Amino acid sequence: MKVEMKVDYYPGDPGEFVRVDESKCTGCGECAKFCTRNVWVQDGKIFRPKNLKACVECGACWNVCEFDAVIFEEPKGGTGVRFEYG
Amino acid sequence: MTEVEYDVIIVGAGCAGPAAAKKAAELGLKTLLLEKSRTPGEKNVSGTCLNMAALVDPDLHYLMKGPVEREITEMHSYMITPERTTMFRETPSEGLILLSIRRDHFDAWHTEEARKAGAEVRLATTVVDIIEENDAIKGVITDKGEKLRAKVIIDAAGVNSIVGRKAGLIPKRKGTDMILYVTVNVHLGEKLVTERFGNSIYYFLAPQTQYKTWPWAFPKKDVVTFGTGGYLDDNLFKDGINSVNDYMQNLLDLPVIKEKIKGGKIASWGLHLEFDEALERRTRDGLILTGEAGGFVIPFLGEGMVEAFLTGIYAAQTAAKAIEANDVSAAFLEEHFMEYYTGNVFLQSFRYVADFNKKSILSMPDEEIAAMMQNVCIGGGFISNAIHYNWMKGADEDDMSLVQEAKDFYEFIQPYRQVGSESVEIYKKMRAEK
C-alpha cells in the first residue's frame, strides 16, 4: 500500500498564518527540510511558504528555525486543515 | 478598574480543554471554552486510546460514557531484527487495557458534556493573542478581534499553543525531546478489522520504520490507525529516509503488516508534533498551561490524553482555589496545580516508565534494543523494557544498585499494571448510565 497524503480542509480562507521574516531568514533551508508537505520553497537567497495551501499546521518549521524567521500563527477560526479520526 | 467578564477562559477543546471547562463549570465558575475548529477533535490532535488503568481514577469515570470505537483487551509487540521476528502478546487476566476512540467524535462529545455542565462554548474561534498587563495574563484576543477577559486563563491548545508561546512559556524545540510523527488511517471495514487486528493494539520495533520511537497500530471500528516518526533532530532524515512518510512506507511494507492491510484503502493522513519533556514553567500570573501545551505528554508510552484530562481538571480546581483566595499569582497557581499533579500515582508511574525507556532507547542502536527485548522473558512491552534496562545493565556491570533500582521501580509501577475487575465494573456501570 502506497502512503498517500489524503488531507481534508475546511472551506474558507485561513489567512497568511505562516510567513517568513525576510530580515531574519538566512536561507539555511531547515524549514523546507523538516516540512513533510513541501510548503517552504527557495526564492533567491531565502525560503518562503509558497505552498501554504498544503500546510497541515504541524509547526515543525517554527520549531526548527534557529533564526526566528518563521512566523507561525493560527488559521482563522473554522478554517485550515481538518483531520478525520483525530 | 476593568470588568472581568469570565472567571476562567479555556483555550482549546481537545482533551484538557473540555475536562477543565466541565470541572470549572461544576465548581460554579463562569467559564468560556474556545476552540478553533468547527468540530472539536478535527485539528492536529494526538492520542487515540484511553488507558483503563488511569480511567479508574474517579475524576475520569465519566469519560467511559463517551463514544468508544473498540474495547482493547490485548497488546502485541513485534521486535523485528534481520535474524528473526519476536512477538509478545500481553493480555490482562481480566479487564480492558484501553478504549479505542475517534477524536473527532470523542472531543465533540466531551465538549458537549462541558456545555451541559454550564460552560459557554464557542467553536470556530481562534485565539490569536493574549492580553498582558503588568506582567499578568488578563485575557485573550480572538481572530474576530474580540478581547475576552478572565481571572484565570487555562491554556489547553496543544503542543504549539499560541497562548503558551505568546506568554513565553513554550520555547522552540528541536532535538530528542520533540517527536514528529505521521499517521495514516487504513479503511478495512469493521469485519476485516476485527478478523485481522481484533481487539488488540500493536507496537513494532523494526529497522528503518522509525527513528527512536515505537511505530504503532491502533484499530478503531472500521479503520486501523498507524503511526510512526522520530525525534525532530538532524538524524531524522538519513540512509535513504527523506521524509517521515518514508518511515511510514517501510512500516506498511513490513510483511507482518502488509498481509493485514491487504485490500484496504488509506482513508486519511495526518502529521503531528509531540513534546515529551516537562516544561520549565507552566504558570504565569493568571495563566496555567495544561495537556500538551504544558508538556504533559509521554509519547514514549503513547500517553498524553490521560495527562491532559487530569491536568485540565487540576487546572480548573486550582483556578477555583485561586479565585476564592483572590490570588491568581504564578506562585499560588504553580503550588496548587503541582500539588494535584504530583499526588497522582498514575501520572508519576507514566513518567518513571517513560524516563527509563527513553534512557534505554537513546543509548542503544535499534538492533540492540530489539535484541534485548527479544531476550525479555518475564512479559512484554514497554514496562518490561523499562525494568530490564537497569536490570540487565546492573547484571552486566556487576552493579547490584542498578538491579535494586529496577526492582524498586517494578514495585512502584504496580498500580499502573493493575487493570482488574474493578475497571470492568466501573466501565459497565458508566455504559449503563449512558
Side-chain angles (χ1 to χ4, degrees):
Chain A
M1 186 180 296
K2 197 102 188 80
V3 174
E4 178 196 345
M5 292 194 278
K6 205 158 173 265
V7 182
D8 208 14
Y9 291 90
Y10 287 123
D13 178 15
E16 299 285 311
F17 63 98
V18 179
R19 301 188 299 279
V20 64
D21 184 333
E22 292 181 23
S23 66
K24 290 180 178 169
C25 181
T26 65
C28 73
E30 287 288 287
C31 52
K33 179 180 161 188
F34 285 95
C35 179
T36 311
R37 298 284 290 166
N38 298 321
V39 168
W40 290 87
V41 176
Q42 190 158 20
D43 181 11
K45 285 182 178 170
I46 65 167
F47 281 76
R48 292 180 194 280
K50 284 196 170 178
N51 300 324
L52 190 52
K53 268 187 189 160
C55 181
V56 295
E57 303 155 32
C58 80
C61 58
W62 180 80
N63 277 284
V64 299
C65 179
E66 290 169 36
F67 305 98
D68 289 338
V70 172
I71 301 162
F72 174 58
E73 291 170 345
E74 296 274 11
K76 289 201 179 78
T79 70
V81 73
R82 176 189 165 263
F83 287 117
E84 225 183 333
Y85 302 104
Chain B
M1 211 186 112
T2 333
E3 195 191 339
V4 172
E5 289 176 26
Y6 293 92
D7 290 318
V8 189
I9 293 175
I10 296 142
V11 184
C15 289
K22 181 173 180 288
K23 178 57 80 177
E26 285 167 357
L27 291 170
L29 302 180
K30 193 175 180 203
T31 306
L32 173 64
L33 174 62
L34 301 172
E35 165 56 39
K36 64 184 173 182
S37 65
R38 297 183 190 191
T39 301
E42 290 188 342
K43 281 293 180 180
N44 295 47
V45 295
S46 293
T48 61
C49 281
L50 300 172
N51 190 321
M52 282 300 284
L55 254 50
V56 296
D57 186 319
D59 280 343
L60 303 184
H61 285 182
Y62 76 96
L63 294 169
M64 296 186 206
K65 297 181 188 178
V68 170
E69 290 278 300
R70 205 167 273 271
E71 295 164 359
I72 303 294
T73 53
E74 284 181 1
M75 173 170 142
H76 288 79
S77 310
Y78 284 83
M79 310 300 150
I80 301 168
T81 55
E83 293 78 33
R84 57 182 167 154
T85 295
T86 305
M87 191 263 288
F88 297 120
R89 176 169 171 268
E90 195 167 300
T91 176
S93 48
E94 52 185 344
L96 298 167
I97 305 176
L98 303 159
L99 298 175
S100 165
I101 58 168
R102 262 182 77 151
R103 291 290 298 281
D104 50 347
H105 294 173
F106 194 87
D107 293 1
W109 166 84
H110 200 189
T111 301
E112 189 54 23
E113 291 299 299
R115 199 189 59 75
K116 278 192 222 158
E120 182 185 336
V121 178
R122 289 195 209 170
L123 302 177
T125 304
T126 299
V127 168
V128 295
D129 209 345
I130 52 174
I131 302 169
E132 205 174 339
E133 284 164 12
N134 303 321
D135 215 26
I137 313 303
K138 298 285 191 183
V140 294
I141 302 171
T142 72
D143 59 328
K144 295 165 188 80
E146 292 166 291
K147 290 183 177 162
L148 302 166
R149 289 172 170 268
K151 291 171 186 156
V152 177
I153 306 295
I154 295 177
D155 181 8
V159 66
N160 292 315
S161 170
I162 198 105
V163 176
R165 288 195 282 144
K166 294 267 184 186
L169 297 179
I170 299 180
K172 282 173 183 288
R173 295 164 296 193
K174 200 184 165 188
T176 51
D177 292 334
M178 185 68 107
I179 287 174
L180 176 68
Y181 75 96
V182 57
T183 58
V184 295
N185 286 289
V186 177
H187 186 270
L188 286 164
E190 192 175 351
K191 191 170 162 276
L192 283 185
V193 173
T194 303
E195 270 174 29
R196 297 179 187 177
F197 291 86
N199 293 325
S200 175
I201 57 163
Y202 299 78
Y203 288 97
F204 305 92
L205 185 59
Q208 295 289 88
T209 62
Q210 46 75 32
Y211 167 49
K212 299 293 182 191
T213 61
W214 301 82
W216 43 264
F218 295 162
K220 297 191 165 91
K221 196 173 172 193
D222 51 11
V223 304
V224 179
T225 310
F226 290 88
T228 190
Y231 282 117
L232 192 68
D233 72 20
D234 294 327
N235 292 317
L236 181 59
F237 307 128
K238 62 175 184 185
D239 302 336
I241 301 285
N242 300 307
S243 145
V244 281
N245 281 329
D246 294 339
Y247 287 125
M248 178 57 79
Q249 188 64 62
N250 291 344
L251 180 69
L252 297 185
D253 286 343
L254 287 175
V256 62
I257 294 180
K258 211 171 184 171
E259 191 68 19
K260 281 183 183 286
I261 58 174
K262 215 162 132 186
K265 243 183 96 181
I266 289 182
S268 70
W269 174 94
L271 188 69
H272 313 270
L273 279 182
E274 268 192 10
F275 183 62
D276 77 346
E277 287 296 325
L279 286 183
E280 216 171 289
R281 287 169 64 204
R282 285 143 303 211
T283 52
R284 276 190 57 184
D285 293 354
L287 173 68
I288 307 174
L289 268 54
T290 65
E292 236 187 308
F296 297 107
V297 62
I298 306 173
F300 246 104
L301 295 179
E303 260 328 321
M305 288 194 289
V306 164
E307 288 213 305
F309 295 134
L310 289 169
T311 53
I313 290 167
Y314 297 158
Q317 289 172 327
T318 302
K321 267 192 184 174
I323 290 165
E324 201 191 336
N326 203 20
D327 180 0
V328 298
S329 69
F332 186 98
L333 297 177
E334 183 79 20
E335 185 195 332
H336 291 276
F337 185 48
M338 290 321 284
E339 197 178 296
Y340 287 120
Y341 179 72
T342 51
N344 188 303
V345 69
F346 291 107
L347 294 184
Q348 299 318 308
S349 302
F350 293 156
R351 283 270 165 217
Y352 267 72
V353 177
D355 284 349
F356 276 75
N357 273 313
K358 193 170 174 181
K359 257 189 266 171
S360 86
I361 208 164
L362 286 178
S363 67
M364 282 182 258
D366 293 346
E367 289 72 15
E368 268 182 46
I369 295 164
M372 186 181 79
M373 294 291 278
Q374 285 170 338
N375 288 330
V376 171
C377 54
I378 60 156
F382 299 103
I383 294 171
S384 305
N385 180 39
I387 293 160
H388 269 250
Y389 172 64
N390 267 5
W391 202 303
M392 305 296 256
K393 199 163 179 269
D396 272 356
E397 294 171 8
D398 204 17
D399 182 351
M400 284 313 286
S401 68
L402 288 177
V403 176
Q404 187 59 45
E405 204 179 310
K407 199 168 170 292
D408 292 346
F409 171 64
Y410 180 73
E411 294 294 321
F412 180 79
I413 59 156
Q414 283 312 302
Y416 173 75
R417 292 176 66 85
Q418 280 159 15
V419 195
S421 53
E422 187 200 357
S423 67
V424 179
E425 275 160 34
I426 299 165
Y427 182 66
K428 277 186 188 153
K429 186 166 168 269
M430 289 296 138
R431 297 309 279 183
E433 279 179 23
K434 185 192 178 213

